[in-house]
Amino acid sequence: MRVVNHAWFFDVDGVITDLQMKKTDPKIFAELIKRLEKGEPVVLITGRSLDWTTKNVLKFLISLVPDEKLLDRLIVSAEFGGVLLKFQNGEKDIFIDRKLVAPKNVLEKFKEIVENDFYDSMVFEDDKLVIATAEKRDNYPLKAFREAQTGLVDKLRQLMDVEKVHGFEVHADSIGTNIRHKNANKSTATKKILKWLAQKNISVSNFVVIGDSLFDLEIGLKLQAENLDFKFVFVGDRKMIKEQNLPFPLTFTRNLYEKGTLEYLTSHQTSKT
């Protein structure tokens, strides 16, 4: 069993990437690589597709890693744990959890609803392998999107009732609306990451989670349920958690979102494991 000081869990949108530009500050990549070089696992947990995450994050990170074998310490959980990307000697190994795949007929009707009734405000994401998502169009006003999203959620719930779909749910977040399996969430994703660590015979002394939304808190709740030591760094808008009665403390940064991530990483260097 190899003991490491830390394992680092990150959301992607607003934590690794800029919410508007969808790009990552190269300084964040440099900090992630420092941790990989120290032998510490780096985990990305997102609702995004693996294709999107690869194009917008991974291809840049991989190009900067000095030794591909360092990637063996990296794992990506996409689509809320429905798709996992691991590395073995620098080679990709992709796992798709078929138990979480949404029914094809429901996905087709979801896409039809978006393209017929919400084309101006949303785009259906064709690159998802497990869940179905309609994302806010770039530059579409957020307030107008919220109103449109409410209408879409109602239509999707009606669709689920008509199709008698069981075990799945309509899930809305800040930029998208999903139909996903009830076990497709960041708690399930965290469970799978812990299994991966066990398979690699890695024992983690302390976990660090950096997130910016209420859904990221599921990671902390799962770690707490497993009686693991962790610190949760919240880099999002504090207003959204103001009335949350959490069973664990939060650490805040002066800067918000990806700038808060960089602030925390640069001010908390770890020794080589």
Side-chain angles (χ1 to χ4, degrees), residues 26 30 42 47 52 70 79 93 107 117 126-127 147 175 216 239 246 260:
V42 171
W52 187 96
L70 292 177
E79 299 191 41
D93 178 17
L107 302 188
D117 301 336
D126 287 309
D127 60 353
E147 295 174 357
I175 59 171
D216 296 330
K239 293 178 183 177
L246 294 173

Side-chain angles (χ1 to χ4, degrees), residues 79 102 107 110 124-125 128 130-134 177-180:
E79 299 191 41
L107 302 188
F110 182 0
F124 186 85
E125 297 184 347
K128 292 286 180 75
V130 174
I131 68 175
T133 301
T177 311
N178 312 289
I179 288 180
R180 67 180 193 180

Side-chain angles (χ1 to χ4, degrees), residues 11-259:
D11 175 43
V12 174
D13 284 289
V15 173
I16 297 294
T17 63
D18 178 285
L19 280 172
Q20 300 300 321
M21 302 301 293
K22 299 180 175 62
K23 294 182 179 180
T24 301
D25 187 331
K27 294 177 184 176
I28 290 181
F29 287 136
E31 291 296 329
L32 299 185
I33 291 171
K34 284 180 185 178
R35 283 149 178 84
L36 293 174
E37 290 177 327
K38 292 171 182 174
E40 297 185 337
V42 171
V43 179
L44 305 183
I45 298 184
T46 179
R48 289 283 192 180
S49 70
L50 182 58
D51 183 63
W52 187 96
T53 306
T54 298
K55 289 178 180 177
N56 291 276
V57 179
L58 288 179
K59 75 174 183 179
F60 301 106
L61 177 59
I62 291 171
S63 70
L64 295 169
V65 170
D67 181 350
E68 286 188 348
K69 290 184 179 180
L70 292 177
L71 296 173
D72 291 6
R73 300 163 187 167
L74 171 71
I75 185 168
V76 179
S77 171
E79 299 191 41
F80 300 108
V83 181
L84 293 180
L85 170 63
K86 300 177 284 186
F87 294 85
Q88 185 66 39
N89 295 320
E91 296 295 322
K92 293 181 179 180
D93 178 17
I94 299 173
F95 168 75
I96 301 171
D97 192 338
R98 300 292 178 186
K99 300 188 298 297
L100 304 183
V101 176
K104 185 177 180 180
N105 64 313
V106 173
L107 302 188
E108 291 173 347
K109 290 180 180 179
F110 182 0
K111 182 176 182 179
E112 185 177 313
I113 289 170
V114 172
E115 294 182 344
N116 289 342
D117 301 336
F118 300 93
Y119 183 82
D120 291 341
S121 58
M122 305 177 204
V123 58
F124 186 85
E125 297 184 347
D126 287 309
D127 60 353
K128 292 286 180 75
L129 301 174
V130 174
I131 68 175
T133 301
E135 184 184 5
K136 182 179 84 69
R137 286 191 179 275
D138 292 341
N139 302 319
Y140 192 81
L142 187 58
K143 184 177 180 181
F145 168 73
R146 292 275 185 266
E147 295 174 357
Q149 187 181 45
T150 299
L152 176 60
V153 167
D154 289 341
K155 284 181 177 288
L156 293 180
R157 286 176 176 159
Q158 292 172 18
L159 171 64
M160 302 275 276
D161 289 340
V162 170
E163 296 295 330
K164 295 181 172 57
V165 179
H166 302 292
F168 289 80
E169 63 185 1
V170 179
H171 166 267
D173 57 36
S174 59
I175 59 171
T177 311
N178 312 289
I179 288 180
R180 67 180 193 180
H181 194 282
K182 290 183 178 179
N183 287 332
N185 52 56
K186 294 199 173 184
S187 177
T188 298
T190 302
K191 180 180 179 180
K192 291 177 178 178
I193 300 304
L194 295 177
K195 182 178 179 181
W196 170 75
L197 289 169
Q199 290 171 341
K200 294 181 76 67
N201 290 316
I202 296 175
S203 175
V204 179
S205 298
N206 290 279
F207 293 82
V208 180
V209 183
I210 304 184
D212 70 333
S213 74
L214 294 177
F215 302 111
D216 296 330
L217 298 175
E218 295 174 359
I219 302 171
L221 291 170
K222 182 60 179 177
L223 293 175
Q224 185 177 59
E226 297 294 330
N227 295 313
L228 297 169
D229 291 328
F230 70 96
K231 175 181 286 188
F232 197 107
V233 183
F234 191 82
V235 297
D237 186 343
R238 297 188 194 184
K239 293 178 183 177
M240 71 175 69
I241 58 166
K242 188 175 181 180
E243 298 182 3
Q244 296 295 314
N245 186 21
L246 294 173
F248 55 84
L250 299 178
T251 296
F252 298 100
T253 53
R254 182 173 56 85
N255 293 296
L256 297 180
Y257 298 105
E258 79 285 352
K259 291 182 175 61

